[in-house]
Amino acid sequence: MANQLIHTKAGTFQVTPHAQKRMSQRAIDVHKVERVLECGRTVYRKNACFYIFGKKEQKLLGKHSVNQNLDNIQVLVRPENKTIITVYRNKDFHQINKVNYRKRCKH
């Protein structure tokens, strides 16, 4: 299985075969991942970067995010080469020890 590329305003991300498999198993399509990468919170932890779409992002985007079912999606990225390692849904964001925090979209 070849690595897929996802093009966003935040850059081009390479999707590993593992991430493709998990996206398929968890019914998270490429468009949802693109939206999370563009508008989700960015949390850096050790050698990883988490793009998170939670309640705060839902409020910012309003009904549009609810229609896309983006809630609680987390995308784990290796920042040095923008490789998506895995994608999952999780309501508990406390598991991620925040080192640095940044917002992406404000619309």
Side-chain angles (χ1 to χ4, degrees), residues 27-76:
I28 301 173
D29 64 29
V30 173
H31 301 295
K32 290 177 185 175
V33 173
E34 286 174 1
R35 196 69 173 152
V36 171
L37 291 170
E38 290 175 353
C39 298
R41 266 179 282 175
T42 307
V43 178
Y44 293 93
R45 180 175 171 255
K46 297 186 181 180
N47 294 327
C49 178
F50 291 83
Y51 290 84
I52 302 168
F53 198 93
K55 290 180 184 178
K56 291 179 183 178
E57 291 73 28
Q58 282 180 354
K59 288 178 184 176
L60 285 173
L61 291 180
K63 292 180 182 178
H64 187 67
S65 68
V66 175
N67 292 342
Q68 291 183 351
N69 193 19
L70 297 172
D71 52 327
N72 305 317
I73 293 178
Q74 296 184 22
V75 181
L76 178 60

Side-chain angles (χ1 to χ4, degrees), residues 3-17:
N3 287 2
Q4 179 180 5
L5 294 177
I6 295 179
H7 304 282
T8 70
K9 295 175 188 173
T12 301
F13 294 82
Q14 188 174 6
V15 184
T16 62

